[in-house]
């Protein structure tokens, strides 16, 4: 019953109906709810390391940030064929809030790295991927006035770094 209660609460957190609104969210709670929803796909084969900075509260499009995190973490899970690790780090500077998702999967070949944010580009087999996850995530981060970058090495893994301005609340008030 506790597991069901936890899942329902996390589903409520994840599926906010106010995705078109800016609001202050607890990024740690948001990440943890995404991880719970993806736990069955990790199937005790993927270790998740959490490195959360002291700043947890963040002003953003809450539901849309959920979607970015779901896409990036889900892709990290897909990138790991057997056992592996996903490291999730949050931090901030005076100007930006940073979220890093790093996996120990196969990495992204250099030849296709420039295409990964293109709509409908996918490396997944037909019927398994739409090629929209990273394109949508890129657009959402851009809507926040931020950036998303990828660092990858074949055979070692991939890291996505999301940077979103911390002064969004001030910008919205203007």
């Amino acid at each position: 019953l506790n597991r069901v209660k936890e899942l329902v609460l996390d589903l409520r957190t994840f599926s906010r109906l106010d995705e078109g609104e800016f609001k202050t969210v607890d990024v740690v709670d948001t990440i943890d709810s995404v991880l719970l929803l993806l736990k069955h796909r990790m199937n005790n084969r993927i270790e998740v390391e959490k490195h959360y900075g002291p700043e947890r509260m963040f002003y953003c499009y809450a539901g849309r940030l959920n979607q970015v995190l779901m896409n990036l973490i889900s892709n990290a899970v897909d990138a790991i064929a057997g056992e592996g690790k996903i490291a999730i780090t949050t931090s901030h500077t005076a100007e930006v809030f940073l979220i890093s998702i790093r996996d120990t999967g196969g990495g992204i070949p250099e030849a296709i790295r420039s295409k990964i944010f293109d709509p409908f580009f996918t490396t997944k087999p037909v019927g398994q991927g739409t090629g929209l996850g990273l394109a949508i995530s890129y657009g959402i981060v851009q809507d926040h006035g931020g950036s998303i970058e990828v660092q990858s090495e074949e055979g070692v893994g991939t890291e996505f770094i999301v940077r979103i301005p911390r002064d969004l609340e001030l910008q919205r008030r203007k």
Side-chain angles (χ1 to χ4, degrees):
L1 286 175
N2 284 334
R3 169 101 168 95
V4 170
K5 177 184 170 191
E6 188 177 298
L7 186 58
V8 168
L9 289 173
D10 283 334
L11 279 170
R12 283 182 54 204
T13 298
F14 181 76
S15 64
R16 293 182 179 106
L17 298 177
D18 57 358
E19 77 175 50
E21 296 177 19
F22 269 89
K23 67 184 271 187
T24 301
V25 297
D26 185 325
V27 174
V28 170
D29 285 349
T30 301
I31 292 169
D32 286 346
S33 69
V34 168
L35 288 170
L36 183 67
L37 292 172
L38 293 174
K39 188 175 184 175
H40 72 283
R41 291 185 42 212
M42 294 187 229
N43 202 18
N44 295 323
R45 66 183 179 86
I46 297 174
E47 177 188 344
V48 177
E49 292 179 358
K50 302 174 188 177
H51 307 281
Y52 298 145
E55 184 71 35
R56 296 173 60 125
M57 304 312 283
F58 181 60
Y59 190 73
C60 62
Y61 286 116
R64 298 183 80 202
L65 180 66
N66 278 350
Q67 188 172 3
V68 170
L69 293 170
M70 177 62 84
N71 287 337
L72 294 177
I73 296 170
S74 180
N75 283 352
V77 170
D78 290 345
I80 299 171
E83 292 185 1
K85 249 183 222 178
I86 296 174
I88 302 171
T89 304
T90 65
S91 62
H92 71 281
T93 67
E95 295 82 27
V96 296
F97 197 93
L98 294 105
I99 303 169
S100 162
I101 298 164
R102 182 173 34 90
D103 66 63
T104 59
I108 302 168
E110 191 171 344
I112 64 168
R113 244 177 256 159
S114 65
K115 301 175 187 176
I116 63 170
F117 295 112
D118 292 350
F120 306 109
F121 178 80
T122 183
T123 59
K124 295 178 183 173
V126 174
Q128 288 189 10
T130 61
L132 292 174
L134 287 178
I136 289 169
S137 296
Y138 183 85
I140 290 170
V141 172
Q142 291 287 306
D143 288 347
H144 280 87
S147 66
I148 183 169
E149 71 177 75
V150 62
Q151 299 172 354
S152 188
E153 186 176 341
E154 286 187 70
V156 176
T158 300
E159 179 179 22
F160 283 90
I161 302 165
V162 176
R163 289 180 176 84
I164 298 178
R166 293 187 70 199
D167 65 352
L168 286 173
E169 191 166 7
L170 293 174
Q171 291 178 21
R172 297 292 298 167
R173 288 184 191 161
K174 292 179 181 178

